[in-house]
Amino acid sequence: TPVVIPGKPLTPFSIGGADFSWELIRAANDVVDLDKHFAAADFAAAYALAEIRSEKETKTFLGVGSDDGIRIWHNGKLIHDNWAPRGVTKDQDLVPITLQAGSNQILLKVQDILGEWGFVVRIVGKDALSDRLISATSVGDMEQINLLLEAGVSLDHSNKSGLTALANARLHGRDDV
């Protein structure tokens, strides 16, 4: 796995005898538009590498959106694999991650089928996680509800409409939640 060192270019890598070099890409709206950078290629894959520095060990979530499939490695360990034909939407997938103190390497592989191609990966803040919990209560997504509650997401948070998770579950007739 390549190592990110600020101010130092990454060494090129080889796949199947072909050499590839890394390119710095910045996203204006959080979404990296790979079609823009790779001339609207179809049936292709791209890798992205980032470093997240953390002062201490921190449990958090990555909000992931991709068009189409995506794999994510954290410090060389596969933590997410979702092969799905879909368009990019922020936070389509919530991926739990424990950031180590110091440097954390995040490597992505984004695969395209046809049409648009891109991704967004970000650390999801507490308010966004609380809003996600509220949304999950309206559809009864117990897997996501349990994941968020186990992560310590607040039940007392209110969304823009003033609803808490419990109030939203009641509003949608979700007695099971």
Side-chain angles (χ1 to χ4, degrees):
T1 301
V3 177
V4 176
I5 300 172
K8 183 178 178 189
L10 293 169
T11 56
F13 62 98
S14 297
I15 296 178
D19 291 333
F20 298 92
S21 52
W22 294 95
E23 177 185 339
L24 179 63
I25 297 176
R26 296 187 190 276
N29 64 355
D30 293 337
V31 177
V32 176
D33 183 351
L34 293 170
D35 268 338
K36 176 179 161 186
H37 295 285
F38 297 107
D42 288 324
F43 301 105
Y47 288 86
L49 179 67
E51 177 187 41
I52 301 174
R53 296 199 57 79
S54 182
E55 295 293 319
K56 60 182 181 173
E57 183 175 290
T58 305
K59 290 185 178 188
T60 189
F61 288 89
L62 297 177
V64 176
S66 63
D67 183 342
D68 290 297
I70 190 164
R71 282 186 164 177
I72 302 174
W73 291 266
H74 173 226
N75 294 335
K77 180 182 175 193
L78 182 66
I79 62 168
H80 186 62
D81 189 0
N82 188 357
W83 175 247
R86 62 185 185 180
V88 176
T89 301
K90 289 182 188 178
D91 306 337
Q92 285 168 303
D93 306 333
L94 278 183
V95 180
I97 186 171
T98 302
L99 299 174
Q100 300 172 357
S103 177
N104 293 268
Q105 305 297 311
I106 307 297
L107 179 67
L108 314 174
K109 179 180 182 182
V110 184
Q111 294 178 270
D112 184 43
I113 301 173
L114 290 169
E116 297 178 353
W117 183 25
F119 69 92
V120 58
V121 176
R122 64 188 189 136
I123 294 177
V124 182
K126 289 182 182 181
D127 286 345
L129 289 172
S130 295
D131 287 342
R132 187 74 176 246
L133 175 62
I134 294 167
S135 295
T137 63
S138 64
V139 295
D141 186 345
M142 292 305 296
E143 183 178 333
Q144 187 150 119
I145 290 167
N146 288 329
L147 177 70
L148 292 166
L149 289 175
E150 288 170 13
V153 173
S154 173
L155 286 170
D156 297 326
H157 175 82
S158 297
N159 65 10
K160 292 177 186 174
S161 301
L163 294 172
T164 63
L166 181 58
N168 195 48
R170 286 183 179 147
L171 179 69
H172 288 88
R174 293 289 181 177
D175 293 336
D176 56 329
V177 172

